[in-house]
Amino acid sequence: MKTVTIKLTAPLQSYGNEANFDRRTSYDYPSKSAIIGMVAAALGYSRRDPRIKTLNQLAYAVRIDQPAKPLTDFQIVEWKRNRRKLTYRDYLQDAVFMVALGSEDGGFIDQIDWAIRHPHFQLALGRRANVPAGPMMTAIRSGRNPVQVLQAASWQASQFYMRQIRHHTFVAELIADAVLLPDYPSSMVKDAVVSFDQRHRQYGFRAVAVDRVSLENPYFATKDADTEHDIMNYL
């Protein structure tokens, strides 16, 4: 299997789950349907393109490298003439996620990698207004599935966040297709794509499992060395 990783970082992200007109909530991490939508946009698929459903077959995992701070925005919507309503939108602030997509079709993974860096349509992290913080960073690994790649990949949080963690490791949550973590308990989430058609959006259920990965903090050793140096100078 060949796997491509995509680093997702932006001031605001939002990955909608069950919602209504009054309140649009968000998962704590990028849903598979959101990433499928982003990949489809990069590849130039229209919302009704039947190839979108085949993207559900990609193996998927995501690692939360920098947990988000929640933000709730409100909007006054005039949904009928002279009829206004207060609605709420939830966002994820300052988060960093590592997404991994895998397939036995290595050529298709190469195509996705190229498309993410040269997208046909503008890419967004969950909502159209949530633009990425600069060019999307990708990497390809061969012979490993998405879980194996994310278990081995280095920590990708911001330097500011890493310096705040006063420990030599950071334990990151890793959420994946249940088939990639067969020895772990699974649960169902509703984020398999059935249709992106704006007139009739539909999502199905898929099984997911959760693991935790210990990641080395590159700034912990530096802080220790500085402290030891200060103590020796004092003595």
Side-chain angles (χ1 to χ4, degrees), residues 36 40 43-55 121 193-197:
I36 286 175
L43 292 168
Y45 296 175
S46 68
R47 289 182 178 272
R48 301 182 196 175
D49 195 312
R51 292 174 293 179
I52 288 176
K53 290 182 69 173
T54 66
L55 297 177
F121 296 116
V193 180
V194 176
S195 172
F196 280 143
D197 189 334

Side-chain angles (χ1 to χ4, degrees), residues 42-74:
L43 292 168
Y45 296 175
S46 68
R47 289 182 178 272
R48 301 182 196 175
D49 195 312
R51 292 174 293 179
I52 288 176
K53 290 182 69 173
T54 66
L55 297 177
N56 286 305
Q57 299 170 13
L58 291 167
Y60 178 71
V62 56
R63 196 180 72 189
I64 303 175
D65 281 29
Q66 185 168 319
K69 298 175 182 177
L71 169 70
T72 299
D73 181 31
F74 72 89

Side-chain angles (χ1 to χ4, degrees), residues 29-217:
Y29 58 88
S31 61
K32 187 173 183 177
S33 59
I35 300 306
I36 286 175
M38 186 179 71
V39 169
L43 292 168
Y45 296 175
S46 68
R47 289 182 178 272
R48 301 182 196 175
D49 195 312
R51 292 174 293 179
I52 288 176
K53 290 182 69 173
T54 66
L55 297 177
N56 286 305
Q57 299 170 13
L58 291 167
Y60 178 71
V62 56
R63 196 180 72 189
I64 303 175
D65 281 29
Q66 185 168 319
K69 298 175 182 177
L71 169 70
T72 299
D73 181 31
F74 72 89
Q75 302 174 10
I76 299 175
V77 179
E78 186 171 356
W79 58 288
K80 288 184 179 180
R81 185 176 179 83
N82 297 323
R83 297 286 296 275
R84 296 177 178 85
K85 196 170 190 177
L86 189 63
T87 66
Y88 297 88
R89 303 288 186 270
D90 292 345
Y91 296 90
L92 308 177
Q93 295 184 90
D94 301 327
V96 179
F97 304 106
M98 286 295 292
V99 160
L101 296 167
S103 174
E104 297 295 344
D105 185 350
F108 188 48
I109 292 298
D110 291 336
Q111 185 181 352
I112 291 174
D113 175 57
W114 190 91
I116 290 293
R117 290 180 287 110
H118 307 85
H120 183 90
F121 296 116
Q122 173 66 50
L123 302 185
L125 305 188
R127 292 201 181 112
R128 191 174 300 175
N130 300 346
V131 296
M136 305 284 274
M137 305 298 293
T138 65
I140 288 181
R141 298 289 183 270
S142 296
R144 295 181 179 181
N145 66 38
V147 166
Q148 293 166 336
V149 169
L150 293 182
Q151 287 173 338
S154 61
W155 194 18
Q156 297 297 311
S158 67
Q159 292 184 12
F160 175 79
Y161 186 81
M162 289 181 180
R163 292 180 186 278
Q164 289 182 314
I165 303 301
R166 300 184 178 277
H167 199 271
H168 63 91
T169 58
F170 172 79
V171 179
E173 192 172 35
L174 190 156
I175 305 96
D177 292 334
V179 68
L180 298 176
L181 291 168
D183 299 327
Y184 289 74
S186 64
S187 59
M188 303 299 290
V189 294
K190 194 174 184 180
D191 75 340
V193 180
V194 176
S195 172
F196 280 143
D197 189 334
Q198 288 181 304
R199 298 171 302 177
H200 190 54
R201 292 191 185 189
Q202 284 184 290
Y203 301 91
F205 288 94
R206 70 182 181 94
V208 300
V210 179
D211 189 14
R212 286 173 174 77
V213 183
S214 293
L215 305 173
E216 182 181 352
N217 183 354

